[in-house]
Amino acid sequence: MSAPKKVVLAYSGGLDTSIILKWLQTEYGCEVVTFTADLGQGEELDPARKKAELLGIKPENIYIEDIREEFVRDFVFPMFRANAVYEGLYLLGTSIARPLISKRLIEIAEETGADAVAHGATGKGNDQVRFELSAYALNPDIKVIAPWREWNLNSRTSLLDFAEQNQIPIAKDKRGEAPFSVDANLLHTSSEGKVLEDPAQDAPDYVYQRTVHPEDAPDTPEFIEVTFEKGDAVAINGEAMSPATILTQLNEYGRKHGIGRLDLVEGRFVGMKSRGIYETPGGTILLEAHRGIEQITLDRGAAHLKDQLMPQYAEMIYNGFWFSPEREMLQAAIDKSQEHVTGTVRLKLYKGLARTVGRWSDHSLYSEAHVTFEEDAGAYDQKDAAGFIKLNALRLRLLATRDKRLK
Amino acid sequence: MSAPKKVVLAYSGGLDTSIILKWLQTEYGCEVVTFTADLGQGEELDPARKKAELLGIKPENIYIEDIREEFVRDFVFPMFRANAVYEGLYLLGTSIARPLISKRLIEIAEETGADAVAHGATGKGNDQVRFELSAYALNPDIKVIAPWREWNLNSRTSLLDFAEQNQIPIAKDKRGEAPFSVDANLLHTSSEGKVLEDPAQDAPDYVYQRTVHPEDAPDTPEFIEVTFEKGDAVAINGEAMSPATILTQLNEYGRKHGIGRLDLVEGRFVGMKSRGIYETPGGTILLEAHRGIEQITLDRGAAHLKDQLMPQYAEMIYNGFWFSPEREMLQAAIDKSQEHVTGTVRLKLYKGLARTVGRWSDHSLYSEAHVTFEEDAGAYDQKDAAGFIKLNALRLRLLATRDKRLK
Amino acid sequence: MSAPKKVVLAYSGGLDTSIILKWLQTEYGCEVVTFTADLGQGEELDPARKKAELLGIKPENIYIEDIREEFVRDFVFPMFRANAVYEGLYLLGTSIARPLISKRLIEIAEETGADAVAHGATGKGNDQVRFELSAYALNPDIKVIAPWREWNLNSRTSLLDFAEQNQIPIAKDKRGEAPFSVDANLLHTSSEGKVLEDPAQDAPDYVYQRTVHPEDAPDTPEFIEVTFEKGDAVAINGEAMSPATILTQLNEYGRKHGIGRLDLVEGRFVGMKSRGIYETPGGTILLEAHRGIEQITLDRGAAHLKDQLMPQYAEMIYNGFWFSPEREMLQAAIDKSQEHVTGTVRLKLYKGLARTVGRWSDHSLYSEAHVTFEEDAGAYDQKDAAGFIKLNALRLRLLATRDKRLK
Amino acid sequence: MSAPKKVVLAYSGGLDTSIILKWLQTEYGCEVVTFTADLGQGEELDPARKKAELLGIKPENIYIEDIREEFVRDFVFPMFRANAVYEGLYLLGTSIARPLISKRLIEIAEETGADAVAHGATGKGNDQVRFELSAYALNPDIKVIAPWREWNLNSRTSLLDFAEQNQIPIAKDKRGEAPFSVDANLLHTSSEGKVLEDPAQDAPDYVYQRTVHPEDAPDTPEFIEVTFEKGDAVAINGEAMSPATILTQLNEYGRKHGIGRLDLVEGRFVGMKSRGIYETPGGTILLEAHRGIEQITLDRGAAHLKDQLMPQYAEMIYNGFWFSPEREMLQAAIDKSQEHVTGTVRLKLYKGLARTVGRWSDHSLYSEAHVTFEEDAGAYDQKDAAGFIKLNALRLRLLATRDKRLK
């Protein structure tokens, strides 16, 4: 790879990416463009601008954007149409944000004439893969710089030394090492590393930052109604909202009731297992609600096919293949299934649990006439079941006949 | 089908199967053998014996058996090795009991020289399919009698009339109609019909019989440890127990903490959707625990393949294909994966939720040396990630190059 | 089911469906509308009109249509985009025609105010299922009449008696029984029954009607070029043609070179196994050609996902679920994958075999620069492979480390 | 990686691996153990011994083994039980040999106290991945040396120079460059590179080395019978043979009749597409025969599940994951399905095509009584089909009813 001339850096404004910024300038002597996104991580963006300016970035090279609506509408919602969970439990909160960041990095590279992008993910995790696969999928000729895999600043001490030598301001609470590492966006907060590295040990209470402890949640349940159109949430308690507003609102419900905590050991794409604490308050409610509305609006054949495809779909997102033909194929299938996933779900929120307790829809496939215990109104002839069973059994009987014959 | 001469009836001792018993005698003039099983449904079996005798069944034709250990060991546990859930949520508590009952019906038919078996499932549900597919798979020449599909007693009044005409004792509380229908065994209790038929309406509190309301559960969490060997639970809090004892114990924990309630609209194999309230207290804890121990002992490749196969495996069980070559194929794959699923999981039980908070095992694949945020000890070379990403990206870059070229 | 008043009958003009026509008139006293389609079966349609008139059908109730283009464009081609084969070998020639016939039956029922449709498939085969599932999927209230399952004319003698009693003309060659049964359309000819019922015995030479014997095919190979656009064949040897024309042309190539014969024992949806002789001359060439063009234009991720989904897709079509949400979901995924499946394939046709020998496309993903044995031009860094392998191996090494530790 | 002390080299005796041998000695100063295997590639092994001795390898460090029986019994046959084909067409002839070679390399490393293994695969292909994943899966601590990724001898000239400088004898026909590269074993011969690099161009006739041109094959067909037991071929024309003998014999039949040629562009695991010419004469016959015997002995449920799992199984082998938990899981499922795949298939071999024309077995599931066009003997009640269809249609009708309602 020839040396980059102009780099778009995914810049949080924090110490680590500030060091990266400086390192790019000194190591490659290249111009740096910073991209700071509001993905709902709950941090102010203004300091990032000031810090970038302080580090010598030209104003026209500082990109600061609120991309929460795009994030929820084009990434989170499509994924929730699939009821995607990784390894049975993880709602993919980090995974789904990376492709959007890469997309903007590449777009900004094109706007600014940059020939490279850079990110602050380490060489051990999945995020480097997600950033880079997305970047390459969107621009095959882009250069990708991953300083953590290149430099020799991989200890806390050397990082701080570099910061001091380069006049990078260090917040007091960053002097010592954080007891664990955090990633956050509108969908979730994940924590991992350090005090969490022994999967046998309970995570300390202070790790959870996004939800109250279920023990501290209200002692009375709260009931909410979530309305869907074509598989996407569009209203809460009858009030229509934008995608990001809905997720924000659900986050608040989840936070209050201690919903969406997960202590998981997962298999990383790069090969090892890692332990994470995830908090996905609104997403956990949304998944339950989406399953609730699908129960009455989605045909069994479609529903079972979706369930069968889901693990691979989730794996694709986890592994960083959002921008891949196979993910797009599955998305086409999933979206096709959602045309009638329209209606409303009633949920009970209580002490860590969101549970569907009612659902209704003009698009419902539920037919009380067919299922009722009351005397038949003619909708269903029980005698049909005899033939249904007989022909479903035929191959099993032929197998049993063979077994008998061979004995 | 020629008329049956001797029928083995799945006999609960209740009013409905007593009517069936009498109806078989009068309709077909055939000898009846009764089979009453303790599957952990929580009812005494002695009354069934007395009632059978009263209805003229010869003592040697009355089979009453405790099959709880076989149920858990050979049916429930193999199914939980797969983390099987139907339509994302249902733990298959009814489905998994039917093949065992059929197996015993067929075995008793062989012992007693009976040429037919009979069951009390209706023509609208899945249970008829499960009973009969299992029966045919085990004996291709067996006759199966499903009175509900044959007789004209399909109203409450006609049933009660028939009972009175035939001196079948009717318990007082059976005079009126139950507000919903119940099935129970050691794994779960399901309720459906009548007051539950409108899926928009919350299930009344009195429907839940197996678990306390989460609001009434203890205000402090309880922590338990479940130990697994080769995928099966073998001990709780360090105390070794038989399969049925473990499930019984987990049920007690679940009951107490209000764990395992589910309000579901599901797609029946016979084609319509139905709404059920399921309570699976111990099973819900067991599923969480099994996922917990798999997190550190199961390789990612195996785990993802299992997740992908699971929905079809669950569908097979739901649809009644337990005794089928395809279920046995998947079981062989699943069992192969469980050879090292050995270790202990720590769970927090609180107000309706069971959550893994720790896990450890001699068979663990988790490697702190690989995942640590500390400086590398050489177990993992971050530079390897560059090549890994580059080659994973190659086909995406070739795609992007094509797109560029064609623009 | 209440008695039908007006029935649309899938009418071939042959003896069997003429008997059905009469039987419908006499059994139900209902008005009959006949639908005779040219699907490329190679029979003239005029005699069907005359015969229908002879049997008393009013001119406005006689529908005769050439639906070959719709058949190939909307059914055959979408199926070939998936490379669909059933049980590894069968190109689904009969299966794919049934939904289109049902679609027209239902449309004509709507046009003519008919409340029922009827078909001439027996109660043992798959075709009854395909006809009826399609019909119900398109009109949930339609009545379906399947005379072969209802009447008592199930022996040859009783059929001929009925024909004679009802003045139905019987062609001389229909007096005796055909040695096997045939279905044909533009995609294939299938033969089964009678002389073919012993799967151990070679099919007699005279069974094959659509292709020359490979031994009689030309002694020199012929080379053709098939051009695709978005997954569909659009030209042969550079000459653009309509879908039905292309298939007709490929059939001629296949016939001449003895291509597309299959002797298969397959598992029917209704439960038993049956033996069929299939001739799919053009389809066999088309499948080979489509795979050939996908080789250079379809990404590996998409291609592998397609291969994985295909068996279920083929099963859906075989079982009669063309008009189902799950088939439409898979079709959406497959069609998504075909956007760049554009280019030309060169095939060698010789003595029963069609084989791809070359392929080229503006949409090609093949990169000689990447794959060449020549010295690298920098497109690919072999050193990347080391990291790629290392991280792919990591989980396997962790497994092996565990095995070592536990020994 | 610390420097290796003793290396087991996969040594063919050819120029390239001789150069590698020398390079290992000079580059690492390490002791070299050579492993030369007869996998049926059709070359004599004695010259390899002599050449190894000439290059200074101690006699006790020269391993030469005939592993054809193990190859076919433990690798080829298990794979054929799955009907494995990669990307619809490739019989995985190269892929399946690599894990066995690695297994022996690792075993010899343990016997000889070697700490490393080495192979002659380049950094662009799949074989490096297969060799190394297998090696790491069997010994997590082994060092793997892939000279083609490390050295600077990547041009023909530099290789020949190195050979001359190191007194490595160069056969005359190796002076010039081969027009394409070849790999061979008992299952297949593959050719790729150079003259084959343009996928639009027909492969020259001289590329095919293992089969006669179909045009030159006998003008009369030959019929053979292959007998299977539990999924593996055990006899030809009634004569029992060992696994390797059977494959050898089938190769001879295939060679003679020009069977098993494939011109393929495939997606490599490392990311690019490549074009190969494969000749798999015996394997092509074996696959056809195995499908033939499964047709009558394998239940539909099992068969369809196998077909669905196969593409992933084939991908695992192609990508080098033979020794992985997920391949072993699928193998367990596949092997479970083969318990009754016992019987005999009759095949017609003619001018490039092997076609099943008959099959019989004591384990047959085919029931003429069920399928016959003759009047029913009572095995099957056609009226059952009505109920079967009605309930299969129910969900489709509920869907259609919804569509109607919403219009």
Side-chain angles (χ1 to χ4, degrees), chain A residues 87 123-124 141 197 215 268 273 298 300 304 315 326 348 366 372 376 380 382 395 404, chain B residues 87 123-124 140-141 197 215 263 268 273 298 300 304 315 326 348 366 376 380 382 395 404:
Chain A
E87 300 195 344
K124 284 193 165 183
D141 304 316
E197 280 182 11
E215 293 89 328
R268 284 191 187 158
K273 287 179 177 287
L298 196 61
R300 190 189 74 206
H304 291 201
E315 187 186 73
E326 61 270 27
K348 177 182 172 186
Y366 180 88
T372 184
D376 283 332
Y380 180 93
Q382 300 206 25
R395 65 184 179 91
K404 235 175 169 172
Chain B
E87 299 193 344
K124 284 192 165 181
D141 304 316
E197 280 181 13
E215 292 88 329
D263 179 333
R268 284 191 187 159
K273 286 180 178 287
L298 198 62
R300 190 189 75 206
H304 291 199
E315 186 187 74
E326 62 270 27
K348 177 183 175 185
Y366 181 87
D376 283 331
Y380 179 95
Q382 300 205 26
R395 64 184 179 91
K404 234 175 169 173

Side-chain angles (χ1 to χ4, degrees), chain B residues 137-309:
Chain B
L138 296 173
N139 182 343
D141 304 316
I142 199 73
K143 290 169 186 134
V144 179
I145 306 171
W148 284 95
R149 294 201 307 257
E150 297 186 26
W151 67 23
N152 53 4
L153 304 177
N154 285 351
S155 76
R156 196 75 203 156
T157 318
S158 52
L159 269 181
L160 291 177
D161 287 352
F162 181 93
E164 273 176 17
Q165 285 156 21
N166 289 277
Q167 284 84 45
I168 299 170
I170 305 170
K172 268 177 204 148
D173 61 340
K174 296 287 175 180
R175 289 256 153 222
E177 271 194 86
F180 56 93
S181 160
V182 173
D183 176 68
N185 60 45
L186 200 58
L187 182 53
H188 95 336
T189 293
S190 74
S191 305
E192 55 177 18
K194 309 289 173 61
V195 302
L196 298 171
E197 280 181 13
D198 179 354
Q201 294 301 315
D202 288 25
D205 274 358
Y206 62 79
V207 169
Y208 296 95
Q209 306 165 56
R210 188 83 171 255
T211 51
V212 306
H213 294 295
E215 292 88 329
D216 300 333
D219 287 326
T220 47
E222 184 166 6
F223 293 82
I224 62 169
E225 293 176 8
V226 181
T227 299
F228 288 84
E229 271 180 31
K230 295 181 190 292
D232 295 339
V234 295
I236 300 178
N237 293 332
E239 190 181 343
M241 298 177 202
S242 76
T245 312
I246 284 207
L247 186 50
T248 304
Q249 195 78 30
L250 291 177
N251 278 336
E252 178 47 27
Y253 283 114
R255 186 203 61 73
K256 178 178 163 191
H257 291 286
I259 290 166
R261 294 179 165 200
L262 173 65
D263 179 333
L264 181 73
V265 177
E266 80 206 39
R268 284 191 187 159
F269 187 29
V270 292
M272 78 283 275
K273 286 180 178 287
S274 73
R275 194 257 198 111
I277 300 296
Y278 299 111
E279 294 169 271
T280 319
T284 301
I285 300 172
L286 185 60
L287 174 65
E288 172 71 15
H290 186 258
R291 280 219 171 263
I293 192 61
E294 283 194 340
Q295 286 169 17
I296 52 169
T297 58
L298 198 62
D299 165 69
R300 190 189 75 206
H304 291 199
L305 180 56
K306 274 192 71 199
D307 281 348
Q308 182 192 327
L309 299 177

Side-chain angles (χ1 to χ4, degrees), chain C residues 87 123-124 141 197 215 268 273 298 300 304 315 326 348 359 366 372 380 382 395 404, chain D residues 87 123-124 141 197 215 263 268 273 298 300 304 315 326 348 366 372 380 382 395 404:
Chain C
E87 299 194 344
K124 284 192 165 182
D141 304 316
E197 280 181 13
E215 293 88 328
R268 285 192 186 157
K273 286 180 178 287
L298 197 62
R300 189 188 76 205
H304 291 200
E315 187 187 72
E326 62 271 27
K348 176 184 175 185
R359 65 299 263 168
Y366 181 87
T372 184
Y380 180 93
Q382 299 206 25
R395 65 183 177 91
K404 233 176 171 173
Chain D
E87 300 193 345
K124 283 191 166 183
D141 304 316
E197 280 181 12
E215 292 88 329
D263 179 331
R268 285 193 186 156
K273 287 181 178 285
L298 197 61
R300 189 188 76 206
H304 292 200
E315 185 186 74
E326 62 271 26
K348 178 184 175 185
Y366 181 86
T372 184
Y380 180 94
Q382 299 205 26
R395 65 183 178 91
K404 234 175 170 173

Side-chain angles (χ1 to χ4, degrees), chain D residues 237-256:
Chain D
N237 292 334
E239 190 183 344
M241 298 176 201
S242 75
T245 313
I246 285 208
L247 187 50
T248 304
Q249 194 78 30
L250 291 176
N251 278 335
E252 177 48 28
Y253 284 114
R255 185 202 61 72
K256 177 178 164 190

